Every structure is written in C-alpha cells, then in structure tokens.
C-alpha cells in the first residue's frame, strides 16, 4: 500500500469520495497534526469543481469516531444481544472459514450468500467478495436495491446507459429535475444548475411528490401523487403532439414513432392525467408548452420516481420526452439518467469471471426476509441460506420488509459475519463482526453515474486499530478456504492497474498523476445523433420488454401509466414516500452527532388538512402502519404534499424510532416489473394519532409551512 502518512502531516492529498452517490466527488484531504484525518474539501476535478456535501466535508467526525470498529469481535451472548468479545484476526478468519465449510458440507456451496452492496463504490474493494463467491460457487445476487427499475426503463427506450454530460446544463434554457432531490442527494448538480441560471437564465422545473429542498428552488414544482409519472409524461406528449411542438422530422429519422403510438397518446389527455396525478390539467399543459417551446431543455432524471412497481414503465415514458421534441440535438439539450456505460472497463479478472466458474442460483437481495424464512420461490428451488458474509451494506435497516429481515438474520442456524466500519443494526445481529478500513486507508478505482470522470485514489493513512480492507480480508479468507485467483494475492493498486491496462486505458500511476481521466463521449454519441443503443439505432416508443426482464407480460406496449402500484385503499388511504435524508447517505452518517442533529428525529410530513381530519397535532406522536407492521414517530404538519401523500425522510437506524422499528418495516418486498427492483416509495399505509401516549402538545415539531430548514 502506498501509505505516505509518515511525511503527510499537515499536507493535503487528493482523494475520491467512495460513497453510493452519483457525484463521486474528487476530494482534498488534510492530515491533521495528530496524524488523523483533518479537513475535507471539494477537489478540482472539473465536475466536482470544489463543491461537496456537508456530510463529507465533516468526514473527520466519522473517520475518527470513538465508536468506530477497531477489532474483530465474536458474539458472546445470545444473537442480537449486542454482547461481543474481542478476538484476533487469525482466530476470526478460522472461525469464519470453519463455519462456511461446515455449512457447505451440510448443504451445498449455494447455502452461502455473499451479501453486498455499494457502501463503497470502489471497484476493487467491492469486487473481492463477488469474486470469491463466483469462484466458490456460492449463491449470486440480483442487485435490486437501487437501479433495477430505472435501468430497465431507460434501456427500454434509449438502449444504452449514458446521456448528456451534466456540465452542459450551462447551455440549457430549461432544466427539469424529474423524481430526484439533488439538494439532498447530489449537491454539485445544483451548483451546475446555479451556473446555468446565472449564464442563460435557465428555468428549473421539479417533478416530485413533495416540496423538497430542490423544489423550493424551482420556478415550477409539479407536486404529483407518487407512482403517477407515467400519466404525467404521456399527457405532456399528448400536448406536444397536439400543439405542434413535436419535432416530426426527428421522430421519423431517429425513433420508431408511428401513427399507432400517436393514436394511443391522443387518448392520454391532460384531463385524464389530472385525475391520476392530482395535478390540474392547466399545470400539465403549461409545463408541456414550456418544455416544447424550449429547444435547449435538459432533463436530470432521478431514481426516486422509479422506486415504484411501475417504475420501469414510468422511466420509459419520461425518457420519451426529449425524443418527441428532438431536444437531444441541442447543446444543453437531452437527458441524463446515468453514465455507467461510457467507461468500457474489462472486469472479468476483477470479478473472477476470467475462468470457468460453477453455475449458481441468483437470489434477490430485496427478498432477504423471504429467503431467510425459507420461502421456496425466493430460494429459487435451492438449499436454505445458512451462512452469510455481509459487506458494504446494512440490510437490517435498508432492505424492504425489515421485520422479516431481522427475524431471519436472528435465525439460530444462520452463521452471519459482517465486515463493517460501525456497529450497525446488521452488525449487532452477527456472530462475527470484523473491522473495515475507510477510503482514506485503502486504494481503489472509481467510476461515476453522474459525471464522466474515472478516478483512482490512494490510501493516505494507516488503517487504525486492526481494520482491514475488503480486498485484504477477502483475500485472506480465500486462502483459508483454498479458493485460488491471482487477484487475491495482489495489492489493491495492482488490481486497479490490471483493470485499467486490460481495458486499454492508462495505468494506475498515470491516472493518479493526472488526477482523473475524462471518459466523456463526443457530442454526436452523447446526444445519440448517430443513433440510440438499439441495433436499428432508433429510440423505442414501443419497447421490447421481453428482452429486458422476465416479468414483462404486464408491461405496456407503448408509454403509459401502468397500474400495478400499491394503491391507497379504505384501510390504508395514504401513500408513503420514505425519501433520502439530507444529512445521511442511506444509513451511513447516521452514527455521527452532527448528521443526527441536522436531521432531528424521525418525522412524518403530513398535510394539515389530513392531520386535522385525523386529529393529529404538529409535533405529536403518531403511528404509521399497514399489514406488514407499524412504526411510531413524530408528525410535522407540512403543506408541501398532497393530502394523501406522507413523507418520511429517512434511513434512520431502527433504534431512533420510538419502538425501535424503522420505516422499512412498512415497505413491501414484492418486486417491480419487468426485472425486479425494490419499490421503496410504493407503499400504502394508514396514519393514526398515537393512542398509547396520547400524543404531545402542538408546537413541539418544526412547523414546515415554508418547507425544510437547513
Ligand atoms: N443525502 C443523501 N444523499 C444520497 C442518498 C441519501 O440517502 N442521502 N442516497 C444515495 C443513493 S443510494 C442514491 S440511489 C441517490 C438517489 O438520488 P435521487 O434520485 O435524488 O433520490 P431518490 O431516492 O432516488 O429520489 C428522491 C426523490 O424522489 C421522489 N419521489 C418518490 N417517489 C416519486 C414518484 O413516484 N414520482 C416522482 N416524480 N418523484 C418521486 C422523492 O420524493 C424524493 O424527493 O442518492 C444518493 N445520495
Ligand atoms: N426507506 C428507504 N430505504 C431505502 C432507500 C430509500 O430511499 N428509502 N434507498 C435504497 C437505496 S437506493 C439503496 S442504494 C440502499 C442502500 O443501502 P446500503 O447499501 O445498505 O447503504 P448504507 O446504509 O449506507 O450501508 C452501507 C454500509 O457499508 C459500510 N461501508 C462503507 N464502506 C465500506 C468498506 O469499504 N468496507 C466495508 N466492509 N463496509 C463499508 C458503511 O459503514 C455502511 O454501514 O438503500 C435502499 N433503501
Ligand atoms: S456529494 Fe456524494 S460524492 Fe460528493 S462528497 Fe457528498 S456523498 Fe460524496
Ligand atoms: Mo441507491
């Protein structure tokens, strides 16, 4: 490892934010006089341009946190008791290897589930566990937390996962943020929006079910009901076609648009969409005319609106808009959902797929509760899961149906090993907990979905205590298990170098020296002027859903509102959006005081009319529930939602809620269509005053008439 600490004190080093965020910011890290991490600032990589979020700017609080895990631990009390004793790494590796071998002897290798996600986005630190699983024939994972629905919908129309460089917004005249909240989730995009507003006077439109911090800054906020974006997009297309705002030449040249599609959209009127979305027909027409009249319109398409069972259909419908107006042809026009396909990395070596590997079933990570309950469908006909290695994720909080997840993770016959930086809700349920390094303490390679820069970062500090990196721990475990691959014996930086050179890119040292490598596509490609990603080069209004996912029978033949969502009912009249919080990143940072203070406490935003009807006062304790369970938290009266919508900005640990049960207890695990995907924001609930406590006097909560503070 390239640890330069000895000469580093007081100096500033370049690095890259590793967290699960589209921005993948370049950073400047200062090493404090005590040799630990000091100040963190935004780096000079052109997209980051010096701007980073507040939670990473105060990263020292997380890296130097007194509760950071420092030693391997073995459970010393009943499961979930939180009682652990310190053991040595050798003992820990023997314990883990012994338990995995016993589980495999009793069942088959597929009984082991290497459960991982994107706690670090670094390619090498993420890949080690996946590689070991592939080579050992363990169960594989269908990665459905985040992008399964949005990817499916984007692929359906556009056919390639890339889009227009976000830096082009400085040439845009209209920016539409659809179903995302960049003020919380990618602040540097807002920095670019501000530049655009200064430069071209660009207007900002936000499509979101509540008045987010981003919507507060918008010229127009379309506050629709959750799960109704397909209807809004279709009605916008209806107006564009009806009012002569479509680019007919472009449609004929570069899309499969046809009279059949046009007839279909003729029936999708603003009045029809108003009934579904809760917006007025006038609002829809006004937005359509604004969008259609502006050549340089840029859509920043978020993930949030696709976390619905109809999310892929919604994404497809939304992605049709720039094809109707031909905005793709303009500088500053078109759309960006994500750029992951531009980098062209050769990853077979990284993932251990450069040699034959045993076939294995694929388990849906969002169905963790059902898998652990032994549901035969969820197990895909294979053996029970009796051993799990968890890395880079906190499923006890973030997975749907969290009550079932917790129950499953507590199973006596399940061996659970969690490699973590903190004693998360998941780690607390484990048999063995291992301490992990942070990005400042290991090397890695980073891509981004929100910009076009490939980046490499070196460790700048020694790992504290006995922390080990994912790459090092998994390599050592592979040795104990007798699983062989050259990557396990290489340093992380050597693996970075292998991936880069095998992909025809400059080596690790070159990228480090240059700081980053811009992989942006030439204008014609980024704007699909020479064709979209499908073999015929045409954008598809009529997608081939069968090619995208197995559950395609319900998918609409043309852009549409697909009614497969968890609609409100008499019993559960509200639709809940458990949206990302500003000061947490999923559950990461929920351990630091300043982030917790910034969020206050778990809170549900309730429209004042609904609160009045139910007898709920601002700041009072309320209960939210459905057939899956119920949670208690405080209410905040807020007029920036429709009366049937509730919002909980979240990913608080369970223990922060009144009963110790977190919000995902209410979220169902039934997958979205056609290729799965967790539908976090597709949740029907009831809301009631808290009978057991009698509520609190009004005025305790932060009234939110003006929207969120801070
Ligand atoms: N501070 C912070 N930053 C984060 C995260 C975090 O938790 N906190 N999470 C990170 C991760 S993993 C990701 S994937 C990205 C996500 O980045 P975003 O795309 O910004 O976030 P999402 O959760 O996908 O979407 C959030 C918005 O979607 C809206 N939404 C929900 N349902 C609908 C709907 O049906 N229609 C419409 N139009 N909008 C809807 C919500 O109200 C919310 O404002 O952010 C990353 N950055
Ligand atoms: N209610 C609700 N639930 C959601 C969402 C939502 O919007 N609302 N969003 C969903 C989305 S989009 C996503 S992506 C998921 C994300 O869910 P997760 O992937 O579980 O994300 P985090 O909760 O941040 O947990 C990541 C963990 O990885 C650890 N970690 C970080 N770096 C390393 C490392 O180098 N090594 C090891 N071993 N560990 C490391 C961190 O300490 C942290 O505990 O949550 C989903 N759940
Ligand atoms: S905005 Fe995202 S990538 Fe940038 S520092 Fe914050 S969490 Fe990291
Ligand atoms: Mo995500």
């Amino acid at each position: 490892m390239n640890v330069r600490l000895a000469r580093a004190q007081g100096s500033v080093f370049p690095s890259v934010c590793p967290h699960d965020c589209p921005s993948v910011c370049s950073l400047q890290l200062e090493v404090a006089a005590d040799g630990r991490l000091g100040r963190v600032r935004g780096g000079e990589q052109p997209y980051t341009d010096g701007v980073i979020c507040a939670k990473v700017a105060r990263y020292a609080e997380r890296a130097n946190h007194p509760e950071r895990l420092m030693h391997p631990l073995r459970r010393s009390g009943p499961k979930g008791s939180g009682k652990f004793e310190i053991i040595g790494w050798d003992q820990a590796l023997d314990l883990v290897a012994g338990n995995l071998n016993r589980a495999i002897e009793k069942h088959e290798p597929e009984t082991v589930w290497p459960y991982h996600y994107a706690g670090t986005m670094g390619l090498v630190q993420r890949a080690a566990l996946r590689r070991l699983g592939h080579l050992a024939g363990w169960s594989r994972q269908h990665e459905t937390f985040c992008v399964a629905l949005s990817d499916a919908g984007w692929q359906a129309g556009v056919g390639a996962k890339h889009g227009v460089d976000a830096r082009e917004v400085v040439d845009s005249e209209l920016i539409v943020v659809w179903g995302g909240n960049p003020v919380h989730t990618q602040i540097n995009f807002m920095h670019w929006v501000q530049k655009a507003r200064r430069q071209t006077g660009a207007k900002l439109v936000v499509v979101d079910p509540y008045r987010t911090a981003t919507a507060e800054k918008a010229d127009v906020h379309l506050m629709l009901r959750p799960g109704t974006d397909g209807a809004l997009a279709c009605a916008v297309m209806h107006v564009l076609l009806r009012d002569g705002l479509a680019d007919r030449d472009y449609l004929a040249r570069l899309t499969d648009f046809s009279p059949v599609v046009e007839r279909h959209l003729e029936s999708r009127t603003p009045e029809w969409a108003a009934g579904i979305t809760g917006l007025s027909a006038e609002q829809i027409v006004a937005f359509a005319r604004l969008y259609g009249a502006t050549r340089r319109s840029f859509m920043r398409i978020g993930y949030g609106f696709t976390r619905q069972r109809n999310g892929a259909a919604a994404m497809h419908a939304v992605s049709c808009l720039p094809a109707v107006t031909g905005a793709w042809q303009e500088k500053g026009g078109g759309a960006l959902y994500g750029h992951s396909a531009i980098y062209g990395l050769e990853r077979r070596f990284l993932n251990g797929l450069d040699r034959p590997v045993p076939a294995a079933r694929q388990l849906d990570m969002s169905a963790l509760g059902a898998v652990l309950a032994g549901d035969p469908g969820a197990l895909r006909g294979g053996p029970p899961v009796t051993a799990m290695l968890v890395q880079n994720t906190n499923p006890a909080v973030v997975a749907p149906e969290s009550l079932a997840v917790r129950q499953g993770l507590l199973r006596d016959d399940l061996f659970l090993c969690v490699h973590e930086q903190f004693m998360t809700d998941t780690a607390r349920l484990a048999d063995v907990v291992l301490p992990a390094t942070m990005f400042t303490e290991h090397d890695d390679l980073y891509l981004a979905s929100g910009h076009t820069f490939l980046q490499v970062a070196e460790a700048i500090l020694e790992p504290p205590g006995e922390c080990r990196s994912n790459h090092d721990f998994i390599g050592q475990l592979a040795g104990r298990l007798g699983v062989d691959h050259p990557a396990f014996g290489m340093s992380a930086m050597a693996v970075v170098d292998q991936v880069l050179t095998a992909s025809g890119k400059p080596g690790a040292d070159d990228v480090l020296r240059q700081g980053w490598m811009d992989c942006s596509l030439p204008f014609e490609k980024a704007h699909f002027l020479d064709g979209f990603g499908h073999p015929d080069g045409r954008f598809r209004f009529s997608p081939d859903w069968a090619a995208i996912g197995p559950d395609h029978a319900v998918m609409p033949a043309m852009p549409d509102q697909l009614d497969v969502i968890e609609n409100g009912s008499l019993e559960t009249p509200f639709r809940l959006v458990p949206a990302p919080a500003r000061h947490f990143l999923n559950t990461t940072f929920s351990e630091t005081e300043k982030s917790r203070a910034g969020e206050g406490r778990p809170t549900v935003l309730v429209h004042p009319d609904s609160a009045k009807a139910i007898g709920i006062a601002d700041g009072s304790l309320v209960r939210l529930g459905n057939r899956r369970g119920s949670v208690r938290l405080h209410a905040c009266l807020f007029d920036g939602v429709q009366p049937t919508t509730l919002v909980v900005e979240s990913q608080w640990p369970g223990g922060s809620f009144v009963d110790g049960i977190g919000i995902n207890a209410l979220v169902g695990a039934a997958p979205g269509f056609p290729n799965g995907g967790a539908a976090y924001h597709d949740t029907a609930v009831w809301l009631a005053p808290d009978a057991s406590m009698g509520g609190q006097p009004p005025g305790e909560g932060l009234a939110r008439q003006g929207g969120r503070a801070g």
Side-chain angles (χ1 to χ4, degrees):
M1 214 191 283
N2 249 316
V3 177
R4 303 177 296 187
L5 171 66
R7 355 176 220 112
Q9 295 175 5
S11 315
V12 170
F13 293 93
S15 189
V16 178
C17 177
H19 289 290
D20 188 358
C21 174
S23 296
V24 195
C25 294
S26 83
L27 303 176
Q28 294 284 345
L29 307 179
E30 212 173 276
V31 176
D34 62 4
R36 303 196 300 174
L37 182 65
R39 293 192 58 166
V40 177
R41 295 186 183 81
E44 289 165 0
Q45 175 251 87
Y47 180 72
T48 304
D49 195 22
V51 176
I52 58 167
C53 66
K55 54 196 181 303
V56 169
R58 50 173 189 260
Y59 210 83
E61 193 190 355
R62 182 166 195 269
N64 307 331
H65 198 288
E67 285 164 24
R68 207 179 142 181
L69 294 173
M70 291 293 174
H71 304 282
L73 302 171
R74 172 173 63 188
R75 179 166 63 83
S76 61
K79 278 203 184 231
S81 62
K83 292 205 175 108
F84 292 96
E85 63 192 10
I86 294 180
I87 56 174
W89 262 105
D90 274 339
Q91 208 183 346
L93 286 163
D94 287 341
L95 197 59
V96 175
N99 275 283
L100 296 183
N101 281 331
R102 270 192 298 283
I104 290 166
E105 266 163 41
K106 190 157 169 203
H107 302 280
E108 314 162 27
E110 282 181 330
T111 197
V112 182
W113 190 351
Y115 195 94
H116 53 278
Y117 205 58
T120 172
M121 296 275 276
L123 260 51
V124 173
Q125 302 295 343
R126 268 187 95 176
L129 181 58
R130 206 181 280 158
R131 181 188 320 123
L132 175 56
H134 286 157
L135 295 162
W138 297 346
S139 284
R140 298 191 186 183
Q141 183 170 280
H142 186 195
E143 297 194 0
T144 53
F145 275 174
C146 191
V147 296
L149 281 152
S150 45
D151 274 2
W154 182 262
Q155 188 63 27
V158 175
K161 192 168 173 187
H162 59 81
V164 173
D165 196 319
R167 290 173 288 173
E168 269 189 40
V169 294
V170 296
D171 293 304
S172 306
E173 292 163 335
L174 172 65
I175 301 163
V176 182
V177 172
W178 197 306
N181 181 9
V183 168
H184 285 193
T185 61
Q186 38 170 331
I187 189 67
N188 15 32
F189 182 69
M190 293 310 290
H191 175 61
W192 285 91
V193 170
Q194 268 154 13
K195 283 192 207 175
R197 288 175 122 178
R198 274 199 304 271
Q199 219 152 303
T200 61
K203 281 202 160 60
L204 176 65
V205 176
V206 171
V207 184
D208 200 290
Y210 76 108
R211 195 167 63 232
T212 59
T214 309
E216 293 249 307
K217 299 190 185 304
D219 300 287
V220 178
H221 174 203
L222 296 170
M223 200 171 78
L224 77 186
R225 294 187 184 121
T228 65
D229 300 78
L232 175 58
C234 286
V236 170
M237 286 190 269
H238 170 100
V239 176
L240 294 173
L241 292 160
R242 184 192 68 191
D243 294 359
L245 296 167
D247 185 336
R248 301 268 171 184
D249 170 59
Y250 182 83
L251 282 170
R253 262 193 308 120
L254 276 166
T255 80
D256 68 352
F257 190 75
S258 67
V260 181
V261 177
E262 179 138 20
R263 263 199 308 282
H264 160 71
L265 289 169
E266 272 165 18
S267 65
R268 298 317 190 233
T269 62
E271 292 71 26
W272 164 82
I276 296 170
T277 59
L279 300 169
S280 70
E282 293 71 34
Q283 278 179 295
I284 296 172
V285 172
F287 168 57
R289 291 196 173 139
L290 175 65
Y291 185 75
T294 316
R295 295 296 299 166
R296 298 182 167 206
S297 62
F298 185 99
M299 296 223 296
R300 184 67 178 97
I301 304 185
Y303 305 87
F305 77 104
T306 69
R307 306 203 194 291
Q308 306 274 345
R309 289 177 181 81
N310 66 7
M315 172 63 97
H316 172 249
V318 170
S319 74
C320 290
L321 297 188
V324 173
T325 62
W328 285 113
Q329 301 160 104
E330 307 294 327
K331 186 128 203 270
L336 172 62
Y337 152 60
H339 279 308
S340 357
I342 63 174
Y343 298 96
L345 288 188
E346 167 50 59
R347 301 192 202 197
R348 276 175 295 188
F349 179 86
L350 188 66
N351 290 324
L353 295 175
D354 54 336
R355 56 205 60 203
V357 296
R361 69 174 165 192
Q362 201 180 39
L363 300 172
D364 179 356
M365 68 186 309
S366 298
L368 178 57
V371 166
L372 292 179
D375 178 284
L379 286 169
R380 314 271 314 260
V385 167
T386 62
M388 288 179 72
L389 281 179
V390 177
Q391 218 171 36
N392 304 330
T393 177
N394 184 10
V397 180
V398 305
E401 285 182 15
S402 53
L403 290 178
V405 169
R406 186 183 158 82
Q407 203 177 0
L409 292 174
L410 281 170
R411 240 175 51 197
D412 267 332
D413 63 336
L414 174 75
F415 173 74
L416 178 62
C417 170
V418 177
H419 186 210
E420 248 302 344
Q421 296 163 340
F422 285 92
M423 187 58 81
T424 58
D425 284 15
T426 309
R428 201 164 287 119
L429 307 178
D431 300 291
V432 175
V433 179
L434 301 171
T437 46
M438 289 184 176
F439 73 103
T440 47
E441 302 144 9
H442 57 234
D443 302 336
D444 220 326
L445 166 64
Y446 300 89
L447 311 179
S449 73
H451 62 65
T452 57
F453 296 89
L454 178 152
Q455 301 170 93
V456 175
E458 286 184 294
I460 62 149
L461 297 173
E462 290 288 356
E466 296 185 86
C467 292
R468 288 191 186 171
S469 73
N470 294 0
H471 177 75
D472 290 347
F473 157 49
I474 296 296
Q476 289 149 6
L477 182 62
R480 289 284 206 287
L481 294 169
V483 177
D484 209 27
H485 189 278
F488 291 131
M490 291 161 64
S491 71
M493 196 55 94
V495 180
V496 170
D497 198 54
Q498 193 285 338
V499 173
L500 289 173
T501 46
S503 312
K505 306 235 184 276
D509 279 345
D510 286 341
V511 178
L512 269 174
R513 223 181 357 260
Q514 291 163 32
W516 51 78
M517 185 186 164
D518 192 351
C519 299
S520 58
L521 299 173
F523 186 87
E524 312 76 59
K525 292 239 173 295
H527 288 254
F528 301 106
L529 299 187
D530 55 354
F532 287 88
H534 302 295
D536 63 359
R538 288 173 184 270
F539 178 89
R540 289 187 177 164
F541 285 88
S542 305
D544 178 8
W545 289 112
I548 291 174
D551 298 321
H552 56 84
V554 302
M555 297 307 288
M558 288 172 278
D560 213 344
Q561 171 66 19
L562 178 61
D563 191 16
V564 293
I565 57 174
E566 198 169 288
N567 285 304
S569 65
L570 265 182
E571 200 199 332
T572 50
F574 294 96
R575 299 256 301 144
L576 170 68
V577 175
R582 181 178 198 149
H583 301 279
F584 302 153
L585 198 151
N586 303 320
T587 65
T588 303
F589 300 96
S590 65
E591 61 281 330
T592 59
E593 262 327 296
K594 288 208 179 82
S595 283
R596 294 180 70 93
E599 291 301 323
R601 62 185 177 188
T603 300
V604 56
L605 306 180
V606 186
H607 192 278
D609 294 347
S610 305
K612 197 168 162 207
I614 302 177
I616 285 171
D618 193 37
S620 66
L621 202 56
V622 297
R623 196 178 278 280
L624 283 182
N626 56 25
R627 65 194 151 81
R628 302 179 190 108
S630 75
V631 304
R632 279 197 298 163
L633 72 176
H634 291 86
C636 170
L637 303 199
F638 177 58
D639 64 5
V641 280
Q642 291 202 21
T644 51
T645 305
L646 302 174
V647 176
V648 177
E649 290 178 352
S650 189
Q651 303 247 45
W652 286 90
S656 305
F657 285 78
V658 179
D659 300 317
I661 297 172
I663 199 71
N664 283 4
L666 308 182
V667 172
F673 299 91
N675 192 32
Y680 291 103
H681 304 159
D682 187 5
T683 304
V685 295
W686 48 256
L687 165 69
D690 180 47
S692 63
M693 306 284 285
Q696 281 181 6
E700 282 268 317
L702 304 161
R704 280 239 207 133
Q705 303 301 325
R708 286 225 73 166

